Amino acid sequence: MPRFSIVVPSHGVAGRLSQALDSVLAQSFGDFELIPVCDAPDAPAADVVTGYAERDSRVTPVHSPPSDGLAGARNTGLRAAVGGHVLFLDGDDVLVPGALAALDARLDGAGDVDVLYFEHERTPWWEGEPANPAAPLLARTPDGAFTPDRAPRLTGVTLPAWSAVYRRAFLTEQDITFPGGHFTDVGFGALVALRAERVATLRTVVVRHLLRRQGNRLGLPGEHHAELLDQTELVLTRAAEQDLPADRLKPLFEQLFAAVLKTAAHPRRLTSGRRAFFRRASTLYRRHRPDGYRAPGGSLGVQHRLLASGSYAAFRSLRAAHRTASRAAALLPRPRGLRTRLRYAAALRLPLDRNLVVYCAYWGRGYACNPAAIHAKARELAPHLRAVFLVEPDAVGSVPPGVEYAVIGSRKYWQVLARAKYLVNNANFADAVVKRPGSVHLQTQHGTPLKTMGADQATYPVVAAATGSFARLLARVDRWDYNLTSNRHSTEMWERAFPSTHETLEYGYPRNDVYCTASAEDVARVRKELGVPDGKKALLYAPTHRDYATGFDTGLDLAEFCEAIGDEYVVLLRAHYFYDQGTSRGGGRIIDVTGHRSSEDVCLAADGLITDYSSIMFDYANLDRPIVVYADDWDVYRETRGVYFDLMELPPGRVARTPGELAAVFRDGSWADETATSLRAAFRERFCQFDDGRAAERVVRRVLLGEPPASIPPLIPLAERVPAPAATLVRS
């Protein structure tokens, strides 16, 4: 039997779950079992956990449906536990180094205790000093093992479930489990404290708790706050049945109703039913108030007396008197120009147009990428919707005939942004755009993250300086309702990079649908448009942007490269979209396709891809055609830009470090041999999970038509997909 069973619920924290698991497995004390609780075998966290379970026999995952909530997940883990003591750890928290050794030593010294409370550190997600809220409470407890009556303020109400380790036999004998619903820690912690006979404390930080940017789920508005009263009633009823002594009942009562009053007075938590909440709380207060209880002084004491008397009108007036000053001025839209600002503000007062969809791609660079693919599918499946594409003045020519557009900054631009029910973008709308209640913002992204993104860029000075204000970036992220991903890796990384409350849609990238739907005729047409000579193998060379460099440099002498590999090849040069303006860089066997509207067309035309660290490799892998990575400055790029995984360890094909090596893999044919094919297969398995040719349909049905998730077309397995054929290569 292991010393510890560590239960780790993982719902909604796949992006940081590996940090939690690593913190446990790296402990110097190794006598434990680690029980991650996943939603289902195919959930995002399950992918993370599977790798750990394969590498370490101490990891034994179990499953609990999201509908059972946090309480259900913990109870499932508790039922599976066989260790002597149980520790609960949230999936985005970590154990500090040496934590288990410290717990083991303290348990040995304290003897057979039912519960051992310890300190924890609350770490701000972005900046600020960590806090240790349990320290003052634990500092006033006896040094050795003690009975609960010697520390009556240690009620369990104010401490989260992961701030203690519990003797498993005690929980089993007393039949203590997590009560269902929200605020389960309040109920569980209080029930443990009521039934425990011997307690000890460890005045050392054991768990480091990361405060989420989007805040604790319990602080969000909603009807779930009524469940705090359920937990309060449960605990006080059990205390009455146990005939809890007055010196222990009073602090328990006071701590429970401190939480109740905080909720009742909060202006945003209870969006409806405030009066009913107050009345029920008043009833519980009078029913369970200890004999001789005296309310605290000050404003809190006034609230206690109003709750005891059931005076909701007076309580509401008191709450209004303490409300902070109006923030209306901070919410005013601020587009440039007084006249434009006034027009936009006026349009915001008009009703939403529930049939209006606004699209934008690459900050208005043209009709492209995921927004264009969604727009095209919406014209087919939702013809009743009016669509307007936002473009810069010099990109108007990219808009296909029959597609309505608005020039960015124009009067029409601000009008449609103010009125649209749906807003779709692969980047972000301007800071001045107001997220209206009832509007739906869909972030489609425009690539799979190899390099760090969003908040993860903050530790890389070169990138952070170019990014600008992270606060403004995350304010834009807060407008998202949905975020689209094309693989599980992206799901996890976006969760870290863009922390907010939006819903992730694992539907694939609509722009990549064409890789599964295009025909040989489509490929031939595109090659002819781009000027690829008949019979030539076309190699797409697509280098990415360097944050530490100024301007565009191919990084490779393409003329020398063409000379070295033979005249059977031509090179399609596509620079990063930051450099899609300017003179042509082509000539001879080099065809500059940077200015071509569709990167998808360019990929269809290419028989193979040469890239460095561009996210185009993830999209191109859907075609199951050879990919060569030219990594001449990988170490510099990794250190200055930051990456999420080592591309050299998980490449999509052959890797070359010098121009000579790159030419050699084409001369000897190894760019498309069995080894290259095997590397590509593993890469596709990891990064082509959701791109099956039906992503646009899924998005339109779920987001624009409001169909339930159960009716969305399921994914086609990777092995059953048939990528568009290459012009000169024969796929086995």
Side-chain angles (χ1 to χ4, degrees):
M1 179 175 69
R3 175 66 148 166
F4 298 107
S5 293
I6 305 169
V7 178
V8 186
S10 62
H11 178 70
V13 293
R16 298 192 180 275
L17 179 60
S18 60
Q19 297 178 5
L21 302 183
D22 287 341
S23 74
V24 176
L25 295 174
Q27 292 289 312
S28 58
F29 183 91
D31 186 15
F32 62 82
E33 61 171 351
L34 177 56
I35 309 175
V37 187
C38 305
D39 293 346
D42 60 347
D47 280 357
V48 177
V49 169
T50 298
Y52 283 90
E54 291 173 349
R55 296 190 297 271
D56 197 315
S57 60
R58 294 174 297 179
V59 181
T60 56
V62 295
H63 301 104
S64 176
S67 58
D68 287 353
L70 177 62
R74 286 173 171 168
N75 288 334
T76 297
L78 180 58
R79 287 193 295 271
V82 297
H85 291 79
V86 182
L87 174 68
F88 298 97
L89 183 70
D90 280 359
D92 52 358
D93 294 344
V94 297
L95 289 182
V96 301
L100 294 184
L103 290 174
D104 176 67
R106 185 71 180 101
L107 287 170
D108 282 345
D112 192 23
V113 296
D114 297 323
V115 56
L116 171 65
Y117 296 101
F118 49 75
E119 295 177 6
H120 62 272
E121 185 176 87
R122 291 183 179 268
T123 305
W125 85 274
W126 187 250
E127 61 182 12
E129 293 298 322
N132 186 342
L137 177 62
L138 300 188
R140 295 193 292 268
T141 59
D143 291 333
F146 56 90
T147 55
D149 59 287
R150 296 182 61 195
R153 298 202 63 80
L154 197 60
T155 66
V157 170
T158 61
L159 296 175
W162 38 260
S163 64
V165 61
Y166 312 90
R167 186 167 60 88
R168 186 172 64 86
F170 158 70
L171 296 178
T172 302
E173 292 164 1
Q174 297 295 331
D175 194 25
I176 298 175
T177 58
F178 286 88
H182 294 79
F183 303 95
T184 184
D185 281 22
V186 172
F188 179 81
L191 293 177
V192 166
L194 285 175
R195 296 297 179 85
E197 296 182 356
R198 279 175 53 83
V199 178
T201 59
L202 173 63
R203 300 186 188 103
T204 300
V205 171
V206 171
V207 171
R208 184 167 293 120
H209 172 65
L210 177 67
L211 295 172
R212 299 182 182 183
R213 174 178 176 267
Q214 54 269 46
N216 190 306
R217 283 188 289 261
L218 300 183
L220 298 176
E223 298 178 355
H224 62 277
H225 287 282
E227 296 176 21
L228 175 59
L229 299 180
D230 296 337
Q231 303 289 352
T232 299
E233 183 171 18
L234 169 67
V235 171
L236 291 176
T237 300
R238 294 286 180 85
E241 294 171 350
Q242 192 173 315
D243 197 18
L244 196 68
D247 60 342
R248 291 187 60 192
L249 179 58
K250 288 179 180 179
L252 175 64
F253 177 87
E254 194 165 85
Q255 291 176 19
L256 285 169
F257 277 97
V260 169
L261 285 168
K262 183 177 181 181
T263 297
H266 199 286
R268 291 184 300 274
R269 289 185 182 176
L270 289 169
T271 54
S272 62
R274 293 188 183 123
R275 186 183 296 273
F277 181 94
F278 186 88
R279 285 178 174 172
R280 184 184 171 198
S282 177
T283 300
L284 289 174
Y285 189 98
R286 292 192 297 271
R287 179 186 304 159
H288 293 283
R289 180 172 48 188
D291 293 338
Y293 177 75
R294 296 182 62 182
S299 176
L300 181 60
V302 175
Q303 294 180 54
H304 271 260
R305 288 188 285 275
L306 293 176
L307 187 63
S309 64
S311 303
Y312 177 70
F315 182 84
R316 183 176 58 186
S317 299
L318 180 66
R319 183 188 65 202
H322 288 81
R323 205 168 285 168
T324 57
S326 172
R327 297 181 299 169
L331 299 176
L332 282 177
R334 298 188 181 276
R336 292 181 179 178
L338 177 60
R339 182 178 298 178
T340 302
R341 191 182 309 163
L342 293 174
R343 286 173 176 166
Y344 183 50
L348 287 171
R349 291 195 292 269
L350 299 174
L352 284 175
D353 184 341
R354 300 192 174 277
N355 289 322
L356 177 57
V357 190
V358 170
Y359 297 90
C360 190
Y362 298 117
W363 302 275
R365 281 184 167 86
Y367 184 87
C369 196
N370 291 317
I374 295 170
H375 170 267
K377 181 59 68 173
R379 297 179 81 176
E380 172 190 335
L381 298 179
H384 64 285
L385 296 176
R386 175 194 172 198
V388 179
F389 227 94
L390 307 181
V391 292
E392 290 287 356
D394 57 2
V396 170
S398 75
V399 181
V403 175
E404 185 179 355
Y405 67 88
V407 175
I408 290 178
S410 67
R411 181 176 181 177
K412 179 179 179 180
Y413 166 82
W414 289 109
Q415 285 177 335
V416 296
L417 282 173
R419 299 291 309 281
K421 164 76 173 180
Y422 305 99
L423 296 96
V424 181
N425 207 325
N426 74 347
N428 263 309
F429 290 100
D431 290 347
V433 173
V434 173
K435 174 67 164 72
R436 296 186 62 179
S439 65
V440 176
H441 286 236
L442 168 65
Q443 168 60 250
T444 73
Q445 303 294 349
H446 53 270
T448 290
L450 167 60
K451 59 189 177 184
T452 54
M453 301 293 291
D456 288 337
Q457 298 173 346
T459 55
Y460 297 90
V462 173
V463 188
T467 300
S469 168
F470 284 96
R472 290 171 62 186
L473 167 66
L474 294 170
R476 297 190 289 269
V477 171
D478 284 340
R479 296 186 302 216
W480 302 354
D481 293 289
Y482 298 104
N483 184 34
L484 203 57
T485 74
S486 59
N487 48 63
R488 191 56 56 74
H489 163 78
S490 295
T491 299
E492 297 169 15
M493 297 309 103
W494 295 146
E495 181 183 300
R496 289 176 43 181
F498 303 117
S500 193
T501 57
H502 53 263
E503 178 181 349
T504 297
L505 300 179
E506 292 184 322
Y507 286 175
Y509 281 164
R511 71 180 185 189
N512 292 343
D513 286 353
V514 68
Y515 298 143
C516 293
T517 61
S519 64
E521 291 74 18
D522 295 321
V523 173
R525 172 185 54 78
V526 174
R527 286 169 67 92
K528 184 176 181 180
E529 290 176 2
L530 297 178
V532 179
D534 291 341
K536 296 291 187 181
K537 292 186 177 69
L539 302 177
L540 172 59
Y541 178 53
T544 193
H545 167 68
R546 301 297 197 276
D547 296 277
Y548 53 86
T550 301
F552 174 72
D553 183 353
T554 61
L556 180 69
D557 189 321
L558 292 178
E560 287 187 4
F561 173 69
C562 287
E563 186 67 25
I565 63 177
D567 61 5
E568 65 180 299
Y569 298 98
V570 296
V571 172
L572 306 177
L573 169 62
R574 189 168 181 85
H576 189 274
Y577 58 79
F578 285 176
Y579 313 105
D580 59 2
Q581 306 293 327
T583 59
S584 172
R585 308 171 185 89
R589 289 161 53 199
I590 304 167
I591 304 172
D592 190 346
V593 296
T594 301
H596 190 77
R597 177 181 62 82
S598 170
S599 63
E600 295 77 56
D601 280 358
V602 174
C603 288
L604 285 173
D607 299 293
L609 171 67
I610 305 170
T611 188
D612 41 23
Y613 327 117
S614 170
S615 66
I616 199 172
M617 72 178 77
F618 301 98
D619 304 315
Y620 192 83
N622 286 287
L623 289 167
D624 198 16
R625 302 178 191 175
I627 302 174
V628 177
V629 175
Y630 179 51
D632 63 326
D633 62 345
W634 169 248
D635 294 332
V636 175
Y637 185 87
R638 179 175 56 185
E639 291 302 317
T640 57
R641 187 60 172 86
V643 294
Y644 286 121
F645 66 92
D646 190 344
L647 183 63
M648 302 303 102
E649 295 293 329
L650 297 167
R654 294 288 187 176
V655 176
R657 295 278 194 165
T658 66
E661 291 179 4
L662 182 62
V665 300
F666 287 95
R667 284 199 306 267
D668 64 20
S670 59
W671 69 293
D673 64 6
E674 290 185 3
T675 299
T677 301
S678 177
L679 291 170
R680 186 170 72 253
F683 192 84
R684 280 167 49 80
E685 190 73 29
R686 182 177 183 185
F687 296 111
C688 298
Q689 290 170 292
F690 310 141
D691 289 335
D692 64 350
R694 302 190 70 180
E697 179 183 354
R698 281 189 279 268
V699 171
V700 171
R701 292 190 181 281
R702 175 70 189 283
V703 178
L704 302 185
L705 294 177
E707 295 183 8
S711 68
I712 304 303
L715 288 171
I716 300 172
L718 185 63
E720 298 177 15
R721 302 173 200 169
V722 181
T728 65
L729 299 177
V730 178
R731 185 180 294 108
S732 61

